[in-house]
Amino acid sequence: MRYRVNPDLKLDLNRFGVKEDWQDCFHCGNCTAVCSLTEENILFPRRIIRNVQLGFKNKLVTDVDPWLCYYCGECSETCPREANPGELMMSFRRWLTIKYDWTGIARLFYKSLPAFLIAMIVVAIGIIVIGITKDFKAEAMMEFGHKFEKYVIYAVACLILLPNLLRMFWFVILKNKLKVPVFAYISNSLSLFVNLFTQKNYLKCEGDTFRWVEHLLIVIGYLGLLVITVFFNWFNTDSETVKWIGYIVGALVFIFTFDFVLKRSSKKRESSKFSHPSDWMFVVWLFLLGLTAFITRILVDAGAIENNLWVYFIHLIVIAQWGLLIVPFGKWTHFLYRAFAIYFSNLKQAALMK
Amino acid sequence: MGDKIGICFYDSGQGFSDYFNFKELYDYASGLPQVTKIWNTTELDLKSPEKINEQIKEVNPDKMILAGDFPGEIKNLFVSAMSLAGKKAENIELASFVEHAYLNGQSTEMAKVVLLCAIKGVDIRKVLVPDEVDVHPDTLVIGGGIAGIQASLEIANGGQKVFLLEKTGTIGGHMAMFDKTFPTLDCAACILTPKMVDVGQHSNIELITYAELKSISGVPGDYKVTIHKKARKVNLATCIGCGICSEKCPRVAPSEFDAGIAMRKAIYIPFPQAVPNKYLVDEANCTYFENGKCKVCVKLCPVPDCIDLDEKDTDVEITVGNIIVASGFKPFDAKRIERFGYGKFPNVLTSLEFERLINASGPTGGNITFRSQDKKGNWIFKDGSGTPSKIAVIHCIGSRDENYNKYCSKVCCMYSLKLAHLIKEKIPEADVFEYFIDMRAFGKGYEEFYERIKQENVHMIRGRTASIKEKDQKLELRSEDILNEKIIEQEVDMVVLAIGLEAAENSNELANMLGIPSSKEGWYNEVNYNSNPVNTSTGGISIAGLCQGPKDIPDTVAQASAAAARVLQSIIKGKIQKSIKDIKLTDVETSINQLMKK
């Protein structure tokens, strides 16, 4: 395949948070060598910077490696040109997110904050309208909310997430014309699930264990909260066990996301120095989600939900915005893409080994 | 002249706004009656000449002055823009501040002169001519490295008196420490030591070693310089250099000349070919200065009253007409980059240390060995402690790095190649790895030298090493092979860090004392990089060698000779120009008016 230098790519990339620092790169290879995740056939970030400099879009879109980076920031800290390779990788993941999204809505939201905010307002209005039709009765509202969550999950998973993952598969495996042995699909599927829920590759990043623990607790909290509210109807359950598990997972979510928000605000760590609106939306909404769920259940326990229905109402708005916008088109997808990237990367290795 | 003059200010963003007060210059320019309109590039849309033309056509200036630190950067745009308005390229005048007005402290005043000359259409070189005064025929050369030695010899051979001031106990500087020079592979000492001996014996050169500049007063052509002579504690006139004192001295300290890889005594001669070849006492490491006892050296010295441990520092004052600053550089401190483990792993050494190790006159007689501990626990190199078979040289240590020094130190690529050659010469079966980012083989015979080293089976790896780890007494280097997109984890026995060059310690103090401008990095600034690379804006003070910026030995020698030529020029003429920096804006206005009348 022949490549052409494409200077337009940088204009496109500018909208995804990256500054043009990568133009300063003089290819010393420090970032690649300093990274504890680089391996045989998995080389970043310098190779990717080179492809960006030349604008090799086709090469970039089929590249799965950016997802393997957990942004410890060491490359940016030690870069002799201050070319910020870590942030380029982060911006690149945003760019890939919109490339995988078949609807094009992610592209709109990532590139235009106003468009995203309008969508958020529209969703909020929608929930208010539904509230009006239900006369703001607690029981009816909660029943609606429960059903709503369930259907949104199914719809988003089938209509958006699954097709997007297939697109990712198409880009990474099929477009690269990789002949993956069938056995590899099966043998690597276990590690897919392990990575999905533990992000254990994160631990290879030196000195980042605490960040991994925090991240893991958020994942556990989030998935726990999802299961407990959707499948065990946490807000209306009488089971003491379910109730207390719900409290714990809810607390995990808002406590640790609060710490993430603090880190992004203080900008002390290399990885939280630069925040794209999508990063802010993700952590802040996750925080609100955990917090409002927690308070709602407290009010239910105290028998005061009827008089304080606005708390649940906010929760419902947050859930709707989360489920309809942030999960399918926002940063949430990195949860899937990261794990599948490791899976696809393993498939790629298997194909290359053959 | 009814021409409409427009000015456009431009700041390239390279940090020169710290030196030039653009606001003040803007106000100054707007106060000038000839100026019709002033723009700032920050307000203009510089996307295309068409855009610029649209923005300036309302005023339609007959002459456009581009003023800024590097206005040449936007000249092409404006040439096109003006041509759209039917104006010629000659209608554009550059007021380049960095080129003509880059002085410490008063750059803005000088920038006004540059601006005024551009507005009036006068060549700045015609008005920035200082008055001439009588010159004292004696010259002071500060620094006894190869630059100072060369400059002193040129002037002294021309029949004029030179005071050569050296901070340490001997002249020779860094060059004396080197084994070979690149690309000719000449023996550095064979070139340098005869020159050093010449300096020591020259009737026109008064050598003042172990001394520093204390203060300076006076005017160009007649400087009163006070020199602080540190107590050598050994009489230069009577010391016969027999060495008995040193032999029996009970105390040791790392040898400066051997870059700390070997020990010397507290009473010592820096190296066997030192000039003057006389001993000196290192107060900081002498037992007598710790507890008042010992005096072994005094007791054993065969010459009466030669060693006087109670000798005090003295000041001497001299009068000179010219001063040549050749104060040299300081090697980068490799400890600052922890990832390379310098100071932690014994067999990671700096290029300067390696230069001594591989030198036939060095502590191991030129044998490459491992660093080991002596009886007292000092890490030194001595003969017979094993031979490394794999040696890596890492380029750009502390250079070309935003976290340390941004600039290229210019000499490291070439001296690293030279070291590779020397290793191969000493241990032909050794593997030598050169880790580089870009190979800078500028200059006569340099590229050929690079090709030659490649022929010698040296492994060239494009890609900077990220880190060094110690593994079973070996050193593991992790780097990316840029050309092949692979991670290389290479085990070697020894690593040489090609450290860069930095401005000498106290270079800013010296600059302030002499009133010469220096760059942010501490390098001294010349009047004009292209056309006057040795004079400074202070009259009678020239610069030569590394103090001006990184350069290799041939360039240093050439510049030292050039500086000497300037000095001799003024002595022969009997006159010297006063300082450019003392020219006032009012003086320039007067001389412009005189020029206009003619």
Side-chain angles (χ1 to χ4, degrees), chain A residues 29 43 46, chain B residues 460-463 479-488:
Chain A
L43 279 160
R46 192 199 62 81
Chain B
M460 298 288 172
I461 299 172
R462 193 170 168 197
S479 71
E480 186 190 357
D481 180 21
I482 306 294
L483 301 177
N484 199 25
E485 297 193 340
K486 290 276 180 276
I487 286 282
I488 301 181

Side-chain angles (χ1 to χ4, degrees), chain B residues 2-8 34-39 44 52-66 78-79 81-93:
Chain B
D3 282 358
K4 280 183 283 183
I5 296 180
I7 300 180
C8 183
Q34 303 91 332
V35 179
T36 319
K37 168 88 184 166
I38 306 177
W39 291 275
L44 287 175
I52 296 172
N53 185 39
E54 268 171 38
Q55 294 164 91
I56 61 172
K57 74 178 171 200
E58 200 179 313
V59 180
N60 195 16
D62 299 299
K63 184 169 156 184
M64 190 73 182
I65 290 160
L66 305 179
F78 275 82
V79 168
M82 291 285 279
S83 75
L84 288 171
K87 303 277 165 31
K88 289 188 189 132
E90 295 93 86
N91 296 32
I92 290 179
E93 191 96 31

Side-chain angles (χ1 to χ4, degrees), chain B residues 67-140:
Chain B
D69 46 1
F70 293 106
E73 291 180 1
I74 52 167
K75 191 184 175 186
N76 278 350
L77 267 175
F78 275 82
V79 168
S80 312
M82 291 285 279
S83 75
L84 288 171
K87 303 277 165 31
K88 289 188 189 132
E90 295 93 86
N91 296 32
I92 290 179
E93 191 96 31
L94 294 185
S96 179
F97 299 157
V98 171
E99 192 181 349
H100 297 295
Y102 185 34
L103 306 167
N104 278 9
Q106 51 214 28
S107 302
T108 308
E109 279 307 297
M110 198 53 84
K112 285 180 190 170
V113 171
V114 177
L115 207 50
L116 185 66
C117 287
I119 292 166
K120 298 272 189 178
V122 176
D123 186 347
I124 186 163
R125 281 166 296 190
K126 283 187 184 156
V127 293
L128 275 190
V129 185
D131 298 338
E132 290 191 332
V133 287
D134 290 341
V135 66
H136 190 285
D138 294 355
T139 305
L140 170 69

Side-chain angles (χ1 to χ4, degrees), chain A residues 108-128:
Chain A
L108 179 70
F109 287 172
Y110 267 92
K111 284 180 122 176
S112 159
L113 181 62
F116 182 68
L117 292 178
I118 289 168
M120 293 287 267
I121 292 165
V122 169
V123 169
I125 292 171
I127 296 295
I128 293 168

Side-chain angles (χ1 to χ4, degrees), chain B residues 285-411:
Chain B
N285 288 297
C286 174
T287 315
Y288 177 73
F289 291 93
E290 269 171 21
N291 55 22
K293 289 179 198 141
C294 188
K295 282 202 169 185
V296 171
C297 50
V298 181
K299 281 171 215 153
L300 292 173
C301 180
V303 182
D305 301 328
C306 178
I307 304 175
D308 174 13
L309 292 177
D310 297 317
E311 190 194 339
K312 294 276 168 294
D313 296 3
T314 50
D315 285 352
V316 287
E317 204 188 277
I318 54 172
T319 304
V320 293
N322 281 288
I323 297 172
I324 295 178
V325 188
S327 50
F329 69 99
K330 166 181 86 188
F332 177 78
D333 178 11
K335 280 203 182 93
R336 285 172 62 193
I337 312 182
E338 282 176 23
R339 305 198 304 283
F340 297 130
Y342 177 73
K344 199 164 68 177
F345 308 140
N347 290 307
V348 175
L349 50 164
T350 65
S351 46
L352 201 57
E353 289 176 329
F354 195 76
E355 204 66 68
R356 291 310 303 154
L357 178 63
I358 206 162
N359 196 315
S361 74
T364 61
N367 288 329
I368 305 170
T369 60
F370 289 114
R371 211 193 293 249
S372 58
Q373 273 175 304
D374 67 5
K375 281 176 205 152
K376 285 178 182 162
N378 300 307
W379 283 100
I380 55 158
F381 283 93
K382 58 175 187 285
D383 213 1
S385 52
T387 308
S389 60
K390 290 189 167 83
I391 302 176
V393 185
I394 309 176
H395 292 218
C396 295
I397 304 294
S399 311
R400 304 182 71 202
D401 192 326
E402 297 281 334
N403 305 309
Y404 305 98
N405 295 317
K406 291 180 187 179
Y407 53 83
C408 165
S409 294
K410 202 171 176 180
V411 293

